[in-house]
Amino acid sequence: MNWFTKTFSSTVGRKIIMSITGLFLCSFLVVHLIGNLQLFKNDGGEAFNVYSHFMGTNPIIRTMEIVLLLGFVFHIYDALVLTRRNKAARPVGYVNNHPEENSTWSSRNMGLLGTVILVFLIIHLWNFFVPARFGGLEPIVVENVEYDNLYIKVVQSFQIWWYVLIYVIAMVALAYHLIHGFQSAFQTLGLDHKKYTPFIQKFGVAFSIIVCLGFAIIPLYFFFLV
């Protein structure tokens, strides 16, 4: 176990963990977005509440929530460790350096973007996940089965302008975070080739924009149209 600990506590090892957990979290975003699209069904929230109930009671899903939580923890912790190591390696900034000439804005501000996302995640979980898992939602009966009415909680939350604003800003930050992180993850894992890298870059940009736009449209829809 000593070699294992040394390997994954090294800078390279932590970057590998960051890459794997990052790609895993990307898959979660897709699943989460597909589920949230149930909100657009014109059924008074019935489909979304049934989906939410399934996600909260299925034992496989509940187990995956633990895996997901660990993914977030490892991703965030390794990001903090790597950021501290990078700063320690360069305690004095380069006076005449022009990083904008050889790096993107998102790559230079991954820490800022990650912080915005983390703050949003805490607010989001407190507002939706905690009531859905630990009580506090109004009950609703669908086909003689009682469900927690998470749909009405969503509608009420997305009528609050500042919450909608926070949500949209967080999705913009997430898009920039993913645009850099997606390509960087493949590069760290050694999946970097002149033949495939351009496609990975384009796919990463498209994935980031489509997924984050999909999430951002939801609060805007409920704020302006419902």
Side-chain angles (χ1 to χ4, degrees), residues 94-103:
Y94 299 114
V95 177
N96 297 318
N97 190 31
H98 300 282
E100 67 277 1
E101 295 178 359
N102 52 25
S103 62

Side-chain angles (χ1 to χ4, degrees), residues 16-185:
I16 291 174
I17 293 175
M18 280 272 292
S19 300
I20 295 174
T21 54
L23 293 175
F24 169 68
L25 293 175
C26 283
S27 66
F28 159 74
L29 287 174
V30 174
V31 174
H32 191 46
L33 177 60
I34 292 173
N36 283 1
L37 292 178
Q38 306 301 314
L39 289 164
F40 291 113
K41 286 191 174 182
N42 188 26
D43 59 359
E46 180 178 321
F48 180 74
N49 283 327
V50 171
Y51 156 76
S52 175
H53 179 77
F54 170 78
M55 297 296 286
T57 57
N58 186 281
I60 297 177
I61 301 298
R62 295 304 300 271
T63 302
M64 287 303 298
E65 283 182 357
I66 299 175
V67 177
L68 180 64
L69 176 62
L70 291 174
F72 273 114
V73 170
F74 280 116
H75 193 77
I76 294 169
Y77 177 73
D78 283 338
L80 292 173
V81 171
L82 289 172
T83 299
R84 290 184 62 183
R85 286 183 179 179
N86 288 338
K87 288 184 177 180
R90 289 189 301 232
V92 180
Y94 299 114
V95 177
N96 297 318
N97 190 31
H98 300 282
E100 67 277 1
E101 295 178 359
N102 52 25
S103 62
T104 63
W105 181 88
S106 57
S107 67
R108 298 192 304 272
N109 292 277
M110 288 295 277
L112 172 62
L113 295 171
T115 301
V116 172
I117 297 167
L118 178 59
V119 171
F120 164 76
L121 184 62
I122 294 172
I123 296 173
H124 190 63
L125 289 175
W126 180 260
N127 194 47
F128 292 121
F129 181 82
V130 172
R133 291 295 182 273
F134 304 103
L137 296 175
E138 299 177 7
I140 187 173
V141 178
V142 178
E143 297 181 355
N144 298 320
V145 179
E146 187 174 279
Y147 299 97
D148 288 330
N149 195 352
L150 184 59
Y151 175 80
I152 195 66
K153 176 69 172 177
V154 171
V155 174
Q156 293 171 348
S157 297
F158 291 155
Q159 297 301 313
I160 305 172
W161 69 267
W162 58 263
Y163 188 79
V164 173
L165 181 62
I166 290 174
Y167 198 109
V168 173
I169 291 174
M171 290 307 104
V172 173
L174 180 60
Y176 277 107
H177 191 81
L178 290 175
I179 286 173
H180 172 71
F182 195 90
Q183 176 199 345
S184 179

Side-chain angles (χ1 to χ4, degrees), residues 200-213:
I200 293 174
Q201 291 175 335
K202 292 177 181 178
F203 181 83
V205 172
F207 174 87
S208 305
I209 293 175
I210 292 172
V211 169
C212 295
L213 182 62

